[in-house]
Amino acid sequence: MINVALLSKWHVHADDYARQANDNGQIMIKVVWDENVERGQEWAKKLAVPFEQDLKKVLTNPEIDAVIVDTPTNLHKEIIILSAENKKHIFTEKVLAFTVQDCKEIYEAVKKNNVKLMVSLPRLTENYYLYSQQVLNEGLLGKLTSIRCRLAHNGAVPLEGNPNGWLPKHFFNKEECGGGAFIDLGAHPIYLTNRLAGPVKAVTARLQPQSEDEVDVNSVAIIEYESGALGTIETGFLSSGSPFQLELYGTEGALLIEDDKIRLKSKQLGVGWITPETLPDALPLPMEQWVNSIIEGNVPTITDNDVQGLTLINQAAVRSHAQGRRVETAEIMTIKHKVKIRGEKC
């Protein structure tokens, strides 16, 4: 049994991870900590476990084996490294950190302390992604020339009595989040296209806010891959009824995915579109993979390359938007950052 501490209910997926933990026969939630004491106490009461206000007491408790981190993103580095140094395994929400350098420092601490870190990138376990990868691997599209992925919702569309929409107000706090739609919801198109299209050469992004002081709520990035393919990533918090779309185009065919509708056209399969009769079985969700890595020593399918590649695109996109230019990823990989302290603006 893995005894787990829940560290913060800040992220909108925190309840989901608590539910997944409770549904997993190998996990026992033992305690809640939250940087917001009132929120943490309420959550602990709901889960029928103790609340501990002192993070150090949680992390030094020998009965705690692991932590699930759903703090503000700007606290990830500090709290995850502290957790690793106290020999706690770590499950956390994307993104891992704001910079590639911070990601590297986190992974160094994880490796040094021999603990398991999992970042939740769940769409890499879905059957449509696995089918897309299979189609590419079998060469049914020929040479990949273009990839597009769109994921958007209406979370910032004003509602009666709530001008911010249904997303929590703190999701628009740039210091805590590091950005808006692109860094949060856009993460899914980013890590999917990274995995399917390969190493990235350059990024050109427009991260559109509703006003000068707000985070982006409607964003697009053009991605140049080392292979020569081009990618388009679209996301936003202002789209009602927008379907999830993943499109791959190549010299021999095309694969179009819109929600649960999948169509493939390939010169190698004859004329016209086909709908696959079967799809690959989905892989275990990130939390299950994390548990299996701790107990069985299994190697997760979600890797540190996936995690750091996600931060790399975000970091390049922020620079591209701020400077109004195309940014090569080689620029980002050579940047050295100061160690950030809690509360420092990123």
Side-chain angles (χ1 to χ4, degrees):
M1 185 66 68
I2 302 171
N3 291 329
V4 164
L6 301 181
L7 304 186
S8 182
K9 193 175 179 282
W10 177 87
H11 201 279
V12 293
H13 290 158
D15 270 330
D16 297 329
Y17 298 137
R19 182 171 59 253
Q20 289 180 27
N22 279 325
D23 290 344
N24 189 300
Q26 302 291 342
I27 295 177
M28 178 70 71
I29 298 173
K30 301 294 285 187
V31 66
V32 167
W33 170 88
D34 199 306
E35 73 280 1
N36 181 318
V37 173
E38 183 178 351
R39 180 177 63 199
Q41 290 173 333
E42 182 180 338
W43 199 27
K45 183 178 180 180
K46 178 181 176 182
L47 295 170
V49 299
F51 174 78
E52 174 53 64
Q53 188 172 344
D54 188 338
L55 179 60
K56 183 178 180 180
K57 287 184 179 179
V58 174
L59 296 181
T60 57
N61 184 344
E63 294 184 359
I64 299 299
D65 305 306
V67 295
I68 296 175
V69 179
D70 278 299
T71 64
T73 310
N74 68 333
L75 299 184
H76 273 196
K77 180 182 176 182
E78 174 187 347
I79 288 176
I80 291 172
I81 289 179
L82 280 173
S83 299
E85 290 173 345
N86 283 279
K87 312 300 182 184
K88 310 304 182 189
H89 302 292
I90 304 128
F91 182 97
T92 190
E93 178 58 86
K94 44 74 180 160
V95 297
L96 179 60
F98 294 145
T99 70
V100 171
Q101 181 62 31
D102 283 351
C103 288
K104 289 180 179 178
E105 291 176 27
I106 288 170
Y107 276 108
E108 286 170 2
V110 165
K111 184 177 180 180
K112 179 180 179 181
N113 291 283
N114 195 30
V115 295
K116 306 294 186 180
L117 167 64
M118 172 61 73
V119 180
S120 185
L121 309 182
R123 289 174 183 258
L124 291 176
T125 69
E126 297 280 5
N127 57 11
Y128 64 79
Y129 156 69
L130 297 171
Y131 180 71
S132 302
Q133 193 69 70
Q134 177 181 306
V135 166
L136 283 176
N137 293 346
E138 292 177 358
L140 295 177
L141 302 185
K143 177 180 171 60
L144 183 70
T145 56
S146 182
I147 186 168
R148 171 180 175 263
C149 193
R150 175 178 175 81
L151 182 62
H153 60 49
N154 62 347
V157 175
L159 300 171
E160 185 176 349
N162 190 348
N164 292 320
W166 56 261
L167 281 170
K169 186 177 181 181
H170 59 250
F171 258 53
F172 302 91
N173 183 316
K174 194 169 187 176
E175 182 176 355
E176 293 183 6
C177 301
F182 195 78
I183 197 171
D184 180 67
L185 194 60
H188 303 289
I190 293 169
Y191 64 70
L192 283 170
T193 52
N194 276 357
R195 183 74 83 80
L196 291 165
V200 174
K201 181 180 180 181
V203 176
T204 305
R206 179 61 184 170
L207 312 180
Q208 186 69 46
Q210 292 197 87
S211 71
E212 186 175 329
D213 297 327
E214 292 182 340
V215 299
D216 59 291
V217 291
N218 194 26
S219 303
V220 176
I222 298 172
I223 313 297
E224 300 171 45
Y225 300 96
E226 290 182 5
S227 67
L230 286 175
T232 306
I233 292 170
E234 304 171 21
T235 191
F237 291 159
L238 296 174
S239 296
S240 295
S242 177
F244 168 73
Q245 295 171 309
L246 176 61
E247 304 171 4
L248 292 85
Y249 300 94
T251 55
E252 298 284 317
L255 175 63
L256 305 182
I257 299 172
E258 183 170 299
D259 288 337
D260 58 353
K261 299 175 183 177
I262 300 178
R263 294 188 295 153
L264 172 65
K265 180 186 284 188
S266 173
K267 289 182 180 180
Q268 301 174 37
L269 300 177
V271 179
W273 294 93
I274 66 168
T275 299
E277 295 181 0
T278 60
L279 297 174
D281 292 334
L283 297 172
L285 286 170
M287 185 168 292
E288 186 177 348
Q289 291 197 31
W290 178 58
V291 169
N292 291 339
S293 73
I294 295 170
I295 295 176
E296 305 290 342
N298 295 351
V299 178
T301 63
I302 298 168
T303 71
D304 58 348
N305 286 336
D306 295 316
V307 173
Q308 294 187 73
L310 172 56
T311 288
L312 175 62
I313 301 302
N314 272 290
Q315 195 175 350
V318 168
R319 173 173 282 208
S320 173
H321 176 81
Q323 299 181 5
R325 66 178 180 90
R326 171 181 176 272
V327 171
E328 294 204 1
T329 53
E331 298 177 36
I332 305 300
M333 299 302 292
T334 58
I335 296 173
K336 291 292 183 181
H337 299 274
K338 295 178 181 179
V339 177
K340 296 180 177 62
I341 60 173
R342 182 169 177 170
E344 183 179 350
K345 197 165 184 177
C346 300

